Amino acid sequence: MPTPEKAKKIREGTVARLLKSHRIRRFTAAQVLERLRATPVAVAPGTVSAATAHLEAVAKRLQLVNRQIADADDQLDRLTGQLAEAADAPGQNKEQRDVTILRSLPGVGRIVIATLLAEASEALQRRDYQALRCLSGVAPVTKRSGKSCVVLMRQAADVRLRNAVYHWARVAAQNDPTCKARYKALRARGHGHARALRSVADRLLGVACAMLKTGSSFDPNLTAKTAC
């Protein structure tokens, strides 16, 4: 629908399906059509065709980028899948067992597990909980001066690992009952959204290290004290 003339021929249901497929909830189909069918601005001859051609070129570049992202996701799935499939084979290494265990945790997807293995492989191999929480920025920083004591978010952290752990905690707080209860309790105590998620992530890292040490997968039926 590059022009108001073509927008007049589009049905509202078609726009609604398009918005739904792209998960756009900020606008309704009626609002989009109202804007698209508004009185156009007077422009010089050839401007509409030039702008339309430019948008078509941008759309093709976006399609290429989306295909490349999909290919990268498929490659990540293949690599982690190969490690997970080899977990039961004789002579398996520690990294192969780690993949199966980490994938069982709530909130862990392809990007999170790939980032953990790539950015924190040494800490995972050592099962070093303190190193993991510092690398991911979960561990707070305490500044003391005289009678003052201020607890701040850690800035010196691996950015990619910080983002992965943040989204890990965010998804876990949405889908895991224990993590959700923990998040709500922290919010009720006055903590902000990011602060509450860091606390959830801190507990998830502790659970992950405990599971890696024992070689066991995540059990959602455990009590709140041990599960999250």
Side-chain angles (χ1 to χ4, degrees):
M1 295 167 283
T3 62
E5 289 74 16
K6 291 188 177 182
K8 293 179 181 178
K9 302 178 183 179
I10 300 297
R11 296 181 179 180
E12 185 172 331
T14 303
V15 178
R17 287 193 297 272
L18 182 63
L19 295 175
K20 184 178 180 180
S21 64
H22 289 276
R23 300 179 181 180
I24 298 175
R25 301 182 180 89
R26 293 173 297 173
F27 308 103
T28 64
Q31 291 174 333
V32 171
L33 286 177
E34 182 181 359
R35 296 191 181 189
L36 291 175
R37 293 172 178 175
T39 303
V41 179
V43 294
T47 302
V48 174
S49 59
T52 301
H54 175 70
L55 291 175
E56 290 175 351
V58 171
K60 291 180 180 179
R61 291 198 292 271
L62 289 175
Q63 291 171 357
L64 174 61
V65 171
N66 288 332
R67 287 197 300 270
Q68 292 174 335
I69 292 175
D71 291 340
D73 289 342
D74 291 339
Q75 187 174 4
L76 287 177
D77 289 339
R78 285 196 300 271
L79 292 174
T80 54
Q82 290 172 2
L83 290 173
E85 290 172 1
D88 297 328
Q92 62 176 333
N93 57 41
K94 190 178 291 184
E95 186 182 38
Q96 292 169 343
R97 294 194 300 270
D98 292 354
V99 172
T100 303
I101 293 171
L102 291 173
R103 289 175 72 173
S104 67
L105 282 161
V108 174
R110 68 161 68 95
I111 302 299
V112 171
I113 193 169
T115 306
L116 287 172
L117 294 174
E119 302 293 335
S121 59
E122 294 184 3
L124 287 174
Q125 290 176 3
R126 299 195 308 267
R127 281 61 170 126
D128 194 336
Y129 165 63
Q130 295 298 333
L132 284 172
R133 64 199 301 260
C134 290
L135 286 171
S136 60
V138 168
V141 176
T142 302
K143 292 186 177 182
R144 298 180 182 273
S145 177
K147 296 183 179 180
S148 64
C149 178
V150 181
V151 179
L152 302 173
M153 184 184 77
R154 180 178 295 273
Q155 298 296 334
D158 186 306
V159 177
R160 287 185 290 270
L161 188 59
R162 182 205 296 276
N163 291 336
V165 171
Y166 170 84
H167 290 292
W168 175 13
R170 178 183 60 81
V171 176
Q174 292 174 346
N175 297 280
D176 181 65
T178 308
C179 292
K180 183 184 295 186
R182 174 65 178 169
Y183 173 81
K184 289 183 177 179
L186 290 167
R187 293 288 285 168
R189 288 165 53 184
H191 293 298
H193 172 70
R195 170 66 182 82
L197 285 183
R198 286 197 298 274
S199 181
V200 172
D202 195 0
R203 286 177 171 266
L204 285 172
L205 289 174
V207 172
C209 287
M211 290 167 47
L212 291 172
K213 290 178 180 178
T214 59
S216 59
S217 297
F218 180 77
D219 185 1
N221 296 321
L222 292 176
T223 61
K225 183 177 179 180
T226 58
C228 184

